[in-house]
Amino acid sequence: MVYAFQQHIPIIHESAFLHPQAAVTGHVIIGRDVYIGPGAAIRGDWGKIIIEDGCNVQENCTIHMFPGTTVLLKENAHIGHGAVIHGATIGRNCLIGMNSVLMDNVILGDECIVGALSFIKADEQFENRSLIVGNPAKRIKAVSDEMMRWKTEGTQLYQSLPETMRQHWHPVEPLRSMPNETSEEQATAGYKTWNQTRNP
């Protein structure tokens, strides 16, 4: 859902995909080919949020700030499931790992990778290509070319996802049995096979 706050109405490029279970409020600008997953809360009420082209903000992420602050996700930033970005600037082509927390006035240079479950305390700054992990998070080494290729490939998948979602995603009623079943025995065997492929 998209909500106005005071005089501010979110600006969302037509090529972006915003899941209807996400909430985008107020002074928010979302660029081209951005994916916003279900449960994401992007709240530009006390400040401004800019999400540049090619970014993704995955399921259950929170983006917010203290009053008067601008949160900036630069081009191709990749925000993993459950991450919290509060008043931070995320450099171009960065990866923020799942359930990480970045506090106020954090500045990440370009092409940084933040490990899952990391906590970056307020006012920290990191140079380009830093690999950052821990609680409190520290730079442990430089991001390699191989790491960056892996990150970029993952982000490209998310950049193609908005169009795929528009073409193939729609609400449905769930199936109540395995498709094309002809007997209870076949249905049971089919379920076991199907379940084993999902849970090897």
Side-chain angles (χ1 to χ4, degrees):
M1 296 291 291
V2 179
Y3 302 93
F5 181 78
Q6 295 178 342
Q7 76 275 26
H8 295 297
I9 298 173
I11 300 169
I12 302 175
H13 193 273
E14 61 186 7
S15 66
F17 178 83
L18 172 65
H19 194 282
Q21 293 175 358
V24 176
T25 301
H27 201 174
V28 177
I29 300 171
I30 295 176
R32 296 174 180 270
D33 301 319
V34 170
Y35 172 82
I36 307 293
I42 301 171
R43 185 156 60 95
D45 48 2
W46 297 340
K48 182 177 181 180
I49 299 169
I50 301 171
I51 300 175
E52 293 186 349
D53 297 349
C55 293
N56 64 81
V57 178
Q58 298 172 18
E59 290 70 20
N60 300 316
C61 292
T62 300
I63 302 178
H64 193 238
M65 76 297 292
F66 279 127
T69 301
T70 295
V71 179
L72 175 59
L73 276 57
K74 295 185 180 180
E75 185 179 2
N76 302 334
H78 185 114
I79 313 301
H81 312 286
V84 177
I85 310 296
H86 202 273
T89 295
I90 310 301
R92 182 182 174 278
N93 209 27
C94 286
L95 167 64
I96 309 304
M98 293 181 281
N99 289 311
S100 294
V101 176
L102 281 70
M103 293 300 294
D104 302 276
N105 303 316
V106 166
I107 299 176
L108 297 187
D110 295 342
E111 298 190 330
C112 290
I113 294 178
V114 176
L117 295 169
S118 295
F119 175 80
I120 302 182
K121 60 187 180 180
D123 303 316
E124 293 276 11
Q125 297 188 23
F126 293 90
E127 62 185 292
N128 294 355
R129 286 242 177 160
S130 294
L131 179 62
I132 305 158
V133 299
N135 180 0
K138 302 292 183 186
R139 183 186 192 273
I140 60 168
K141 63 179 181 179
V143 170
S144 67
D145 291 344
E146 182 180 357
M147 289 177 186
M148 193 46 53
R149 280 193 298 271
W150 169 80
K151 183 274 170 199
T152 300
E153 288 171 2
T155 301
Q156 287 170 346
L157 288 174
Y158 272 95
Q159 289 167 346
S160 67
L161 188 55
E163 183 58 30
T164 303
M165 295 293 281
R166 277 189 290 276
Q167 291 182 16
H168 301 289
W169 179 86
H170 56 91
V172 296
E173 289 297 317
L175 298 175
R176 303 303 180 190
S177 62
M178 293 295 294
N180 303 320
E181 68 188 41
T182 56
S183 70
E184 184 175 339
E185 184 177 3
Q186 286 175 329
T188 302
Y191 173 78
K192 287 180 180 176
T193 300
W194 173 78
N195 194 44
Q196 287 169 354
T197 62
R198 291 171 54 86
N199 301 288

